[in-house]
Amino acid sequence: MDENQVNTRRGRRWAKWGLLVGAPIMAAGLFLAPRAFAGPGRHGCHGFMHQGADNVQEMRAHMKRPLSRMFKRIDATEGQRAAIEGIVDEAATEMFALKDQGRGLHEKLEQEVLKQTIDQAKVNALSAEIEATVGQATRIGVETMGRVASELRLEQRQKIAKHLSHFRH
């Protein structure tokens, strides 16, 4: 057997293994990816933008408990509490709009990849839209974190950082 035949046989073997292993992984990814944005009760984990809240008020209510714990942990003043709650409420409105947008994009993506013939240009366009939405959410989150941090004293920020360091891998 010459070297070309050996390489061809090796290539076919890898292709078979790729199909056997890769196809189920890809199918699972296509099925599970849209659900990552869904939130609890919607076949997701924690979901995209907070717990699968159905409206902004639910999202704000969900944030009250962790904020309350943070305020207690850092001994926040009433002025700090009011300012931070206002900042978080403002961000919740923006994030909720992005959550709905993200869910809609993932539904479109799921519909597209389940068609008989996949339009790769549409899939790529949807992927770019999803990436832009995630980018907006990241920007809002980082800006909100900066605004909240500016309301706190250095010692308070250090307490939060120390607490959060326990959750890092």
Side-chain angles (χ1 to χ4, degrees):
M1 208 180 308
D2 71 2
E3 194 172 321
N4 272 347
Q5 289 175 323
V6 170
N7 287 338
T8 302
R9 292 180 92 189
R10 233 182 247 146
R12 285 186 193 144
R13 195 172 338 163
W14 279 108
K16 286 178 188 175
W17 277 107
L19 285 173
L20 286 172
V21 174
I25 291 171
M26 188 177 92
L30 292 174
F31 178 75
L32 295 174
R35 282 146 183 85
F37 272 51
R42 294 182 176 84
H43 313 290
C45 300
H46 285 282
F48 181 66
M49 320 282 181
H50 280 295
Q51 302 293 329
D54 290 322
N55 56 53
V56 177
Q57 290 75 23
E58 283 183 22
M59 186 179 282
R60 288 179 180 143
H62 173 74
M63 290 305 299
K64 283 196 184 299
R65 187 171 174 199
L67 280 175
S68 174
R69 285 192 305 250
M70 180 191 76
F71 292 150
K72 185 176 179 181
R73 184 173 283 116
I74 64 172
D75 195 29
T77 66
E78 287 303 315
Q80 288 175 320
R81 289 172 187 248
I84 291 169
E85 285 172 351
I87 292 167
V88 170
D89 281 351
E90 186 180 314
T93 303
E94 292 179 69
M95 293 291 247
F96 192 79
L98 288 177
K99 176 188 170 191
D100 283 346
Q101 183 180 344
R103 184 176 291 140
L105 290 170
H106 272 275
E107 286 171 1
K108 287 179 184 178
L109 178 62
E110 185 175 18
Q111 290 168 1
E112 191 59 42
V113 298
L114 293 175
K115 289 181 179 176
Q116 184 69 28
T117 304
I118 297 173
D119 181 346
Q120 192 61 47
K122 280 186 183 178
V123 170
N124 292 345
L126 287 166
S127 175
E129 286 184 69
I130 290 168
E131 188 176 329
T133 303
V134 171
Q136 285 178 298
T138 301
R139 180 191 52 78
I140 292 167
V142 170
E143 286 176 2
T144 300
M145 185 171 49
R147 291 176 61 201
V148 166
S150 71
E151 295 293 330
L152 301 172
R153 296 184 315 274
L154 176 60
E155 307 83 50
Q156 292 171 314
R157 294 191 307 267
Q158 289 171 338
K159 283 182 184 179
I160 293 170
K162 183 178 179 184
H163 175 72
L164 293 177
S165 71
H166 298 297
F167 299 102
R168 293 189 192 118
H169 297 131

